[in-house]
């Protein structure tokens, strides 16, 4: 196999049959290239789905009050459910082993003013732990703290784009803004990877909003963060327990699905990951199809090559060449062409994925990539089958008697 004469003969054959060699190599390289690119696109789809959830914490369950559709325990249907401050303390008291934190959320939209600048922004009344639920990043200043909640202070944490819109080049920290007719001191500026909409919000203590709104204790939503070690199964079990807790406390019939609405990020994430994996499998199936097409292509070409060289092989056998030497020469040529072409196709495919980067985000493909071991494995598979594709016709040719081969036209 490592004979210098064998290699000299292989290179001479390649030199004499440039078109055939090019077609063989092109088929292999194209198969690997398409596989790498398609597999990378599949990973890009998975990245897109994961980014959708990475903006917020992945261990949270959000509860929304609804409206009952069934009468229960003397209460009529059509009753609007409301959450209040007592629900927060009851959850913390009844489920302490499963929780990281609990935070309410009150959502409003206020005209926000600073000097001559004004705009409408979404304003949220929250607790300090809401920062972890939204993965809010403080750029300067600080976030809300527990003292703000207790004293119902009029302080605000504004988004990066809110500061840009209202303050321009001026530093917002320490200045006062008019928030729906009430004056709030800006104590922090945040950024959020969720995009522009997330950075055009204002956060204030939820107790302060309750005080402004006629001293009510109502909240719009309740966000429960469970311990990550619970896993998916534990998160689903906790969701069911909390649903039962709310329905019993608010007198909602257990079978009424409209009294309480629940968004479990863990469940949504798992469903999305499953969908992404299915899409990846489909893309991978198509990608492997291109490899199979490459194998078939190289096999057909090698059959033609052997047939074309039948007389040559007959002469070699007549001069004393053994069947083993005939097979090894053809097999080595096949493996050599397949290896070089496969590696070239793999490198080009990886280069294409690297150059695309974020250019396909509009098509829901984010940072497409392929793990190098996967690309190498696919290339090795193609090389192995390329060798098999060369071995089968070579073995058939080695069995031909010299006199028969010399008569071939």
């Amino acid at each position: 196999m490592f004979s210098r004469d064998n290699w000299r003969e292989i290179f001479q054959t390649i030199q004499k049959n440039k078109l055939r060699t090019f077609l063989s190599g092109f088929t292999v390289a194209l198969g690997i290239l398409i596989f790498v690119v398609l597999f990378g696109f599949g990973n890009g789809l998975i990245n897109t789905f994961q980014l959708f959830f990475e903006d917020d914490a992945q261990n949270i369950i959000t509860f929304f009050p609804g409206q009952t559709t069934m009468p229960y325990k003397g209460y009529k249907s059509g009753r609007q459910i409301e959450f209040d401050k007592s629900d927060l303390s009851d959850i913390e008291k009844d489920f302490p082993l499963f929780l990281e934190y609990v935070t309410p959320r009150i959502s409003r939209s206020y005209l926000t003013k600073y000097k001559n600048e004004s705009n409408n922004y979404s304003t949220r009344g929250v607790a300090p732990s809401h920062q972890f639920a939204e993965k809010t990043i403080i750029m300067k200043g600080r976030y809300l703290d527990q003292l703000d909640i207790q004293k119902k202070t009029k302080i605000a944490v504004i988004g990066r784009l809110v500061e840009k819109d209202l303050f321009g080049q001026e530093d917002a920290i320490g200045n006062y803004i008019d928030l729906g007719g009430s004056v709030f001191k800006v104590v922090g500026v945040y950024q959020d990877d969720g995009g522009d909409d997330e950075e055009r919000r204002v956060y204030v203590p939820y107790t302060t909003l309750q005080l402004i709104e006629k001293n009510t204790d109502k909240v719009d939503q309740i966000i429960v963060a469970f311990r990550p070690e619970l896993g998916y199964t534990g998160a689903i079990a906790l969701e069911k327990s909390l649903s039962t807790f709310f329905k019993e406390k608010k007198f909602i019939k257990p079978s009424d699905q409209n009294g309480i609405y629940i968004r479990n990020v863990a469940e949504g994430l798992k469903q999305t990951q499953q969908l992404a994996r299915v899409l990846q499998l489909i893309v991978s199936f198509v990608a492997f199809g291109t490899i199979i097409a490459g194998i078939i292509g190289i096999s057909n070409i090698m059959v033609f090559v052997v047939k074309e060289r039948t007389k040559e092989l007959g002469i070699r056998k007549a001069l004393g060449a053994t069947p083993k030497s005939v097979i090894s020469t053809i097999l080595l040529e096949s493996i050599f062409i397949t290896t070089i072409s496969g590696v070239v196709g793999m490198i080009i495919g990886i280069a294409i994925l690297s150059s695309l980067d974020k250019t396909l985000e509009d098509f829901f493909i984010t940072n497409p990539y392929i793990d190098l071991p996967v690309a190498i494995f696919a290339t090795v598979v193609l090389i192995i089958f390329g060798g098999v594709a060369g071995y089968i016709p070579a073995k058939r040719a080695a069995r031909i008697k010299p006199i028969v081969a010399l008569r071939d036209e």
Side-chain angles (χ1 to χ4, degrees):
M1 179 174 289
F2 297 100
S3 168
R4 182 179 297 179
D5 291 337
N6 280 346
W7 282 107
R8 184 183 296 113
E9 183 180 346
I10 288 170
F11 284 117
Q12 286 175 351
T13 303
I14 291 174
Q15 189 70 23
K16 291 177 182 178
N17 301 276
K18 294 179 181 178
L19 179 59
R20 183 249 297 168
T21 303
F22 170 77
L23 292 175
S24 302
F26 180 77
T27 301
V28 173
L30 185 63
I32 286 294
L33 188 151
I34 294 175
F35 170 81
V36 169
V37 171
L38 287 180
F39 200 92
F41 283 178
N43 285 333
L45 286 171
I46 293 176
N47 288 340
T48 300
F49 285 122
Q50 288 178 338
L51 283 173
F52 180 77
F53 286 91
E54 283 181 359
D55 174 44
D56 299 329
Q58 298 176 7
N59 62 323
I60 60 174
I61 307 172
T62 306
F63 294 87
F64 306 84
Q67 192 174 56
T68 61
T69 56
M70 301 177 183
Y72 186 63
K73 290 187 177 182
Y75 291 91
K76 295 181 179 180
S77 62
R79 178 168 50 96
Q80 180 63 48
I81 302 301
E82 293 182 322
F83 293 151
D84 55 49
K85 194 174 180 179
S86 68
D87 297 325
L88 305 174
S89 56
D90 287 343
I91 291 173
E92 291 174 338
K93 182 179 69 176
D94 293 354
F95 302 92
L97 298 178
F98 308 102
L99 306 181
E100 276 201 336
Y101 55 83
V102 180
T103 176
R105 180 189 287 168
I106 302 173
S107 299
R108 299 290 184 267
S109 180
Y110 290 131
L111 178 64
T112 306
K113 302 177 183 178
Y114 176 72
K115 294 182 179 178
N116 296 325
E117 301 293 337
S118 65
N119 206 342
N120 280 295
Y121 295 106
S122 172
T123 301
R124 285 179 170 179
V126 298
S129 52
H130 192 276
Q131 178 182 5
F132 309 114
E134 283 287 324
K135 292 187 176 180
T136 303
I137 303 167
I138 295 297
M139 296 173 60
K140 50 186 175 181
R142 66 175 180 87
Y143 199 71
L144 315 177
D145 59 29
Q146 199 57 41
L147 194 61
D148 296 322
I149 302 298
Q150 293 172 0
K151 292 189 173 182
K152 305 177 182 180
T153 55
K154 288 187 175 182
I155 57 100
V157 179
I158 65 175
R160 178 182 64 87
L161 295 181
V162 175
E163 182 187 39
K164 182 179 178 181
D165 294 343
L166 298 182
F167 292 87
Q169 300 299 318
E170 188 178 350
D171 189 356
I173 302 298
N175 285 306
Y176 291 83
I177 57 175
D178 183 324
L179 200 62
S182 299
V183 177
F184 284 74
K185 182 180 180 180
V186 178
V187 297
V189 178
Y190 74 88
Q191 66 182 46
D192 195 300
D193 293 335
D196 291 358
D197 185 58
E198 295 283 349
E199 294 184 337
R200 281 197 166 92
R201 287 180 178 156
V202 179
Y203 290 110
V204 300
Y206 77 93
T207 51
T208 306
L209 273 191
Q210 289 176 332
L211 179 64
I212 292 173
E213 295 182 346
K214 299 180 181 178
N215 206 24
T216 179
D217 66 346
K218 306 300 180 186
V219 298
D220 294 344
Q221 303 161 24
I222 294 177
I223 300 171
V224 177
F226 57 85
R227 297 183 185 276
E229 54 265 29
L230 290 180
Y232 172 76
T233 304
I236 297 301
L238 179 61
E239 175 191 327
K240 291 180 180 178
S241 298
L242 286 168
S243 177
T244 300
F245 160 81
F246 276 116
K247 287 184 175 182
E248 288 179 353
K249 184 176 181 181
K250 304 297 180 181
F251 300 103
I252 303 170
K253 193 171 183 177
S255 58
D256 191 343
Q257 301 299 315
N258 295 308
I260 299 286
Y261 295 102
I262 305 171
R263 178 179 179 261
N264 191 335
V265 173
E267 185 175 9
L269 178 60
K270 182 171 183 179
Q271 291 174 349
T272 303
Q273 288 176 335
Q274 288 174 340
L275 174 61
R277 289 192 186 100
V278 170
L279 291 174
Q280 175 68 300
L281 286 174
I282 294 172
V283 172
S284 299
F285 179 78
V286 175
F288 273 110
T290 64
I291 291 183
I292 293 172
I295 293 170
I296 294 173
I298 191 70
S299 177
N300 290 336
I301 291 172
M302 290 309 298
V303 169
F304 175 76
V305 168
V306 172
K307 183 176 178 62
E308 187 184 51
R309 298 175 62 186
T310 301
K311 183 175 288 187
E312 174 197 334
L313 296 175
I315 294 173
R316 292 187 61 191
K317 291 190 71 176
L319 294 174
T322 63
K324 183 179 179 181
S325 67
V326 172
I327 292 173
S328 65
T329 300
I330 297 175
L331 186 60
L332 197 57
E333 180 183 343
S334 174
I335 293 175
F336 177 73
I337 294 173
T338 305
T339 301
I340 298 299
S341 304
V343 171
V344 169
M346 179 184 71
I347 293 173
I348 294 174
I350 293 174
I352 289 173
L353 290 179
S354 299
S355 65
L356 291 173
D357 196 22
K358 297 182 179 181
T359 58
L360 296 177
E361 288 185 352
D362 290 341
F363 301 96
F364 305 102
I365 297 175
T366 304
N367 296 328
Y369 74 96
I370 184 170
D371 292 324
L372 188 58
V374 175
I376 292 174
F377 173 77
T379 305
V380 170
V381 168
L382 190 53
I383 291 170
I384 291 172
F385 280 97
V388 173
Y391 175 77
I392 294 174
K395 187 176 181 181
R396 189 180 301 124
R399 290 176 179 173
I400 299 175
K401 294 180 180 180
I403 187 66
V404 176
L406 291 171
R407 288 174 182 169
D408 185 73
E409 294 294 337

